[in-house]
Amino acid sequence: MAKVLLEMKNITKVFPGVKALDNVNLVVEEGEIHAICGENGAGKSTLMKVLSGIYGYGTYDGEVTYDGNICKFQNIKDSEEKGIVIIHQELALVPLLSIGENIFLGNERGSKAKINWSETFDKADELLKMVGLKDSSKTLIKDIGVGKQQLVEIAKALGKNVRLLILDEPTASLNDTEAKHLLDLLLEFKKQGMTSIIISHKLNEISYVADKITVIRDGASITTLDKNKENFTEDTIISAMVGRSLTDRFPKRQSNVGEVCFEVKNWSVDHPIFDGIKVCDNVNFNLRRGEVLGISGLMGAGRTELAMSIFGKSYGENIRGQIFMNGKQVHFPNVKAAIKNKIAYVTEDRKGNGLILSESISKNTTAANLERISKNYVIDFDKERQYSQEMVKEVHTKCSSVDEDVGNLSGGNMQKVLLGKWLFAQPDILILDEPTRGIDVGAKYEIYCIINEMVSNGKSVIMISSEMPELLGMCDRIYVMNEGRMIAEMDGKEATQEKIMAEIINSGK
């Protein structure tokens, strides 16, 4: 029998008005990959923050035993000294510093008086080789993609002599190839004796990599599944997560697509920094009333750049082309003009560009349509509160009240607030960029229902997603984008993952 490395007993954590964890128990054996699953707001990240010392000893009830000793961590430094390292979903890297500087930030090589830069970069290059990253350690973080940044975080953990590695949604921002590489890396570390805890909503990835799965629901540990004793079926995991079986991932909808209501012609956008690079190259597409239109493509295909450039020219340089709404040419010189013309854009970066984390749910909800709650430029705060409460109910946001700061919410509930913000703007066309990234299956279903309700009322939705099953399950039509160009258009009923990938591969020849 394997040695128990970590045991968390009866962990209870209370925030004002909310019991985030209620007698949670977790046992992790040495050398295993242990997954933690649960809906957004279930308490997964909170449990890991207790373990890593972010929520210090004395701020919670219960007992944490690591390597046979009771732990009383007061901060991250205490846990890292024991070899426990956590990598958060939002990467903690400094863009304008090099990879090497980031790897040893707070863990510098050299003496207290002077950093040994030669040792720093040499050791960093060794760590990068271990994680399969070929870039020089002198490369700036801002010059590498998200997938490579995730590997830098792992290299950073290895530089701290990690023994228990905790990863919170490590593949949320990665494409399939990058995610597979990261998961294979965890399996390789397992062979070397490292223990890992992974939090993820991607059940296929968990089934691939995990030895055991602990399911948390509403702040309580529900069950632990063992791969050696039972099969990890997605239905079994979902049933434990949401407390019921989810027979259909995508709600049924009677398609009622009308005439073309939105059209983009000959749309080209230049990169805002690098001269001579087009992020969108003569793109043409149209959207029909009552339609869910998907845009598929690999990371870097130009989908987000296209959406942002359309939405009030909020990305890119030298933007040219034409936009037509209901047959008439329109111009959106800025975001305000786009909103005024009933266009809304739900960004993929909810924390960076979508929400004001230090403000309340109510203030975030009404931010894009203040005219609706004001008169003569004076805000009616009673109206703001009333509408916010209605929107919270409509999108099923879990919160103590609409006065709660958005930054205190789980990722899934933040996403619902972001969606509610743009629904409050009463758009006719809603552009959704990775709308369910980092969202559990139950919350995904709720968002899909909201999308279906929108289009059944004659509104139109453009959905950008890296999850092909999501596009295939929700969309009436799908455009395929690659290297800044629209390369194919498919009927949703006829599209398959194989057809989409074949179009992408063939377009690159």
Side-chain angles (χ1 to χ4, degrees), residues 179-190 208-209:
K180 177 71 161 52
H181 175 63
L182 189 146
L183 296 173
D184 285 339
L185 196 60
L186 291 184
L187 292 171
E188 184 59 35
F189 289 156
K190 176 188 170 184
Y208 173 69
V209 80

Side-chain angles (χ1 to χ4, degrees), residues 256-262 286-293 326 342-344 423 427-432 451 453-463 476:
N256 187 25
V257 177
E259 71 282 0
V260 172
C261 62
F262 186 80
N286 63 62
L287 173 69
R288 298 185 174 102
R289 199 176 308 281
E291 179 180 42
V292 179
L293 176 70
N326 301 316
K342 299 290 186 179
I343 309 288
L423 291 177
D428 290 332
I429 296 169
L430 181 64
I431 305 172
L432 298 169
I451 293 169
E453 186 176 350
M454 271 197 75
V455 295
S456 68
N457 292 328
K459 312 296 184 182
S460 304
V461 171
I462 298 173
M463 179 187 283
D476 299 293

Side-chain angles (χ1 to χ4, degrees), residues 436-493:
T436 63
R437 175 177 287 168
I439 301 288
D440 64 75
V441 288
K444 280 184 178 181
Y445 191 88
E446 292 174 347
I447 288 175
Y448 297 150
C449 288
I450 293 167
I451 293 169
N452 283 352
E453 186 176 350
M454 271 197 75
V455 295
S456 68
N457 292 328
K459 312 296 184 182
S460 304
V461 171
I462 298 173
M463 179 187 283
I464 297 168
S465 178
S466 298
E467 294 188 32
M468 287 195 197
E470 181 170 78
L471 293 177
L472 297 173
M474 288 295 297
C475 297
D476 299 293
R477 265 189 314 145
I478 298 173
Y479 281 100
V480 184
M481 196 169 181
N482 191 41
E483 296 179 346
R485 295 177 292 112
M486 286 295 186
I487 59 171
E489 177 187 352
M490 302 178 187
D491 185 277
K493 293 176 182 176

Side-chain angles (χ1 to χ4, degrees), residues 59 65 109 127 170 231 270 285 334 345 360-361 373 385 387 399 475-476:
T59 67
T65 304
R109 307 291 92 176
L127 294 170
N231 290 326
D270 293 343
F285 74 93
N334 51 48
Y345 170 63
S360 66
I361 293 170
I373 57 161
R385 187 176 181 81
Y387 280 128
C399 59
C475 297
D476 299 293

Side-chain angles (χ1 to χ4, degrees), residues 37-55:
C37 291
E39 294 187 274
N40 290 107
K44 308 179 298 295
S45 296
T46 303
L47 185 66
M48 291 302 99
K49 287 177 181 178
V50 167
L51 171 59
S52 59
I54 295 174
Y55 297 139

Side-chain angles (χ1 to χ4, degrees), residues 374-391:
S374 61
K375 188 175 182 180
N376 298 325
Y377 301 102
V378 177
I379 293 174
D380 185 331
F381 292 108
D382 289 336
K383 267 189 178 181
E384 180 179 68
R385 187 176 181 81
Q386 176 197 335
Y387 280 128
S388 300
Q389 288 172 336
E390 290 174 3
M391 198 53 64

